[in-house]
Amino acid sequence: MYSFEPNEEQQMLVDAVGKYATNDLRPAAHDAEEGHELPKKLISKGWELGFLQASTPEAYGGFGERSAVTGALAVEEMAFGDLAGALAVLTPSLFATPILLGGSEEQKQQYLPAIVGGDWAPYTAALMEMSFDFDPNALKTTAKADGGSYVLNGEKIFVPFAKAAEAMIVYANLNGVTQGFIVDKNAAGLSISDEREKIMGLNALPMYRLKLENVTASRLGGASGHDFGLILSAMRIASASAALGVAKSSFEYAKNYAKERDAFGVKIAQKQAIAFMLAEMATEIEAMRLLTWEAAWKLDNNKEDSCVSAYLAQTGSADMAMMVTDRGVQIYGGHGYIRENPVELLMRNGRGFAMLLGLAIV
Amino acid sequence: MTIDFETPKPIAQMQTMLQSVAENMMRTTSREFDENEHGIPWDYIEFMHTAMKAAGGGGGLTPTDEKPKEGAEKRASIGYQKLAAQIEMLSWGDVGYYLITPGGGLGAAAVQAAGSPEQKAKFLARFNDDKPTFAAMCMTEAGAGSDTSAIRTRAVLDEATKEWVINGEKIFVTGGDKSFTEYEKLGKGFIVVWASIDPTAGRSGMRAFVVESGTQGVSIVKLEHKLGIRASDTAVISLVDARVPYENVLGSPTVEKTTTGFKGAMATFDATRPLVAASGLGVARAALEFLKEKLKENGVQIRYGLPRNKLTSIERDVIDMEIMLKSAWLMVLKAVWMADNKKPNALESSMSKVRAGDVTTKVTQKAVEILGPIGYSREFLLEKWFRDAKITDIYEGTGQINRLVVARQILGYTGAELR
C-alpha cells in the first residue's frame, strides 16, 4: 500500500532532530566553518537525540531497530542544519552501523554496547582513496588473509575524527571484493596524518589521512565476511539524504532572501525569473527526496533492486544538490558570493556529494 | 501509516491486465492510427468499454472510491492511485489511444469536482451503460489558453424558459468529437463548457455547463491535425444560441463576490494534473525501455554502480533518464495518494506536472538522439512517442503556468503578487 507519511515514531524523531538542526546546528554553521571547529557541546547535544541508540536493538544496548527510511528522514533534517555538524554527530554510526549490518555476533557484543551506551566517542571508518575515479567496489587498499586474521596495505583519505578514534573500519580489496576490517587505534603499521585534510567545504569536520603498512585487522563478519553491497547502499542513501538537507537549506535561505530583497519596486521573488528558479528547486528537491525514500524502503524490505535504487538516488541527489545550491548563490546575487552569507558554504558543500562517500551511513 | 512503496494488489493485477491490452491491441495498430489521423479504432474502444465494465472499474477511466480489500482496518480509497497507474500503462501502450478510452475523462472530472450530488448522479451514471460513452472539457479559446479569465464565451439565463443560452467558440477540445457527435456505436456523451455568466465579474463570473451531445446550436467546426497523439480527436466547437437546462450549471448559478466558479475549474486541475503527468510518464517509459532494449541488442550494457567518471556518455544518459523517470513517477504517486486521502494537493499536483512535462520531453528526445537513425525512422514507434510526448508539457497547463502555480504556493503569493 502506497503511503508518504512517516509513522509516529519517525515523526517524533524528525521533529526533535529538526529542532536541533534549526536551533543549534544552523546558527553555529558559519563560525564552525571559518574557525575549523565544532563545539563539543554541540556534538554531544546531537548525540543525545539518540538516533544511533534508537537504531540499535536492545540486545546490544540500544532501544530500537535500524531502518534506512528512518535514517533518511533523520539525516536530511540534520544536514539541513549544517553538513559538518551532522556528519560529526553521526560519525560513530560509520563504525557501529556496518557492525550492525555485517558484523559477527561476537563483534556486535564487543563494540556496540560500549558505543551506544556511552557519550559521543570518535569511532569512525575509512573508505575513500585519492584517485579521480574512486570506486568503492574497486579499492586500491588491499587485504590479504594471514592465518585467522588479515593484513592491510594502502592509503585512505577523508577519515573523520581519525586522530582521536578508538577504533575504525577500514575498507579494503580482498581478492577483488570490498570488505570492511576492524582496525584498532594502536594497531602496528597504522599511521594517521598530523595535518587535517583541506577540502573545498566541510572545514569544521576534522578529517585525516591514513597509511596502512602491514596492519593486522579482523574482518567484519568474521571468516565468512559480509555483504558490502548492503553497507554501500546504506552509505548511498545517507549521502542522498544529506544532499537533500543541504539543498533544502539553500532553498529556504534563497526563498526567504528573495521575499525580502527589493528591486524595481517589487520583491525579487515576484519576478518570474526568480520565482521559476525557486519552483524548479523545490520540485527537484521533492523528486530526489521521494527517490531516496523509495530506495531506503527497498533496502529495508530486501527488494531485489535496492542496490541499483540506492545508486540512482545518490547519483540524482548529487546532481540536485549542485543545481539547487548553485541557484541559491545565484538568487542572492553578489551577496551570495560573500562568506558572511550562508549560501556559498552550502554551494561548496553541495558539490561534495558527487565524490564524497562513506562519510555517513543510515 | 508509515512510508510504504508496495504496489497495492488490485493495482498490480490491473497493470498486468492492461499491459497485455497495450501489447496486443494498442502497439499493434499504433502506427496505423498515427498515419490515418481521423480514423477511429473502434475495436479498442469497444474492447476497453466491455473489459473495464466487467472489471467493475466504473465504466472507463473515472476515479472511483474503491477501497482495497486487504487489511481489516479502515483504509482510505486508492481510486486515484489506481487511475494514475491505469493511465500510465495505457499511455505506455499508446497515449493517443489512451485519450480515446471511453469514459468521463476531463468532462466527468469537472462534474466530480464542481457538481452537486444530484448532478453527479445524473451525469455520471451513463458511463456504466452498454455503449461506450465519452465526455470532454471545453475550456480553451483562440484568445484564452492558460489565462482562463480571458474566456469570451457567454452564458445568459433566459428567465422565460429557465434555460442558459450559450454563445462562443472553443478550441483544443480533446475527445470533443466522440463526446458530442452522435455515433451509433457510442452512448450519449456530453461536453463541459466554461463560460462567463457575468463578464464584469472576471473569474468569479466563470461557470461550467454540461452540454449534452446533439444540443441544437452546437457544432464541431473542425478536427485539428497535430504533431502527435493523432489517434485522439481534437475539436473546435462552436456554440451559437445553444440552449442548456438551468440545472446543468455546475456550482452556484448566481455571481457572488468570490471566485468559486474559477476555483471549481482549478479544483478539476488539481485532480487531473497528476493524471496527465502519469500519461506522459507512460510514454517516457515506453521510450526508455525501447532504448534499453535496442542498446542491449547491440551489446551495450548499462553498468550501474560505477562512479560517474567511469561511465560512457550513453550510460550516463540512460542512468539520468532513469533517475528522472522514476522520481517523476513517485511525484505522481504522492499527488494522487494525497487526493485519495483528501489532503489538499495543489502544490504536489502542479509539481508532478512540471516534472513530468520536463521528463517526458527530455527522455523521448534523448532516446531518439541516442538511437540515431533507429530513433528517427518511422519503421519504429520511438519517433511517434517523441511527437506524442511533447503534448505533456502543454496541455492541462503548460510547464510554465504550472511553475507559476508551484511558485505561488511555495512563496505564499496570490495571483496578484506573482503575475
Side-chain angles (χ1 to χ4, degrees), chain A residues 90-102:
Chain A
L90 297 168
T91 292
S93 295
L94 294 180
F95 186 83
T97 305
I99 289 185
L100 259 177
L101 285 171

Side-chain angles (χ1 to χ4, degrees), chain B residues 332-397:
Chain B
V332 168
L333 270 191
K334 183 175 176 185
V336 289
W337 169 82
M338 291 177 84
D340 279 332
N341 285 276
K342 314 272 184 261
K343 295 173 190 285
N345 71 344
L347 174 62
E348 288 75 8
S349 199
S350 283
M351 267 193 182
S352 74
K353 176 65 167 62
V354 166
R355 182 89 179 151
D358 281 351
V359 165
T360 305
T361 48
K362 277 186 201 156
V363 165
T364 50
Q365 289 166 13
K366 199 79 199 171
V368 169
E369 180 209 311
I370 293 174
L371 286 180
I374 293 175
Y376 208 64
S377 167
R378 281 162 71 174
E379 190 182 325
F380 303 101
L381 288 170
L382 183 56
E383 67 79 28
K384 175 186 178 295
W385 296 331
F386 165 104
R387 291 183 286 112
D388 288 345
K390 184 60 196 165
I391 195 62
T392 313
D393 206 20
I394 298 172
Y395 65 1
E396 209 74 1

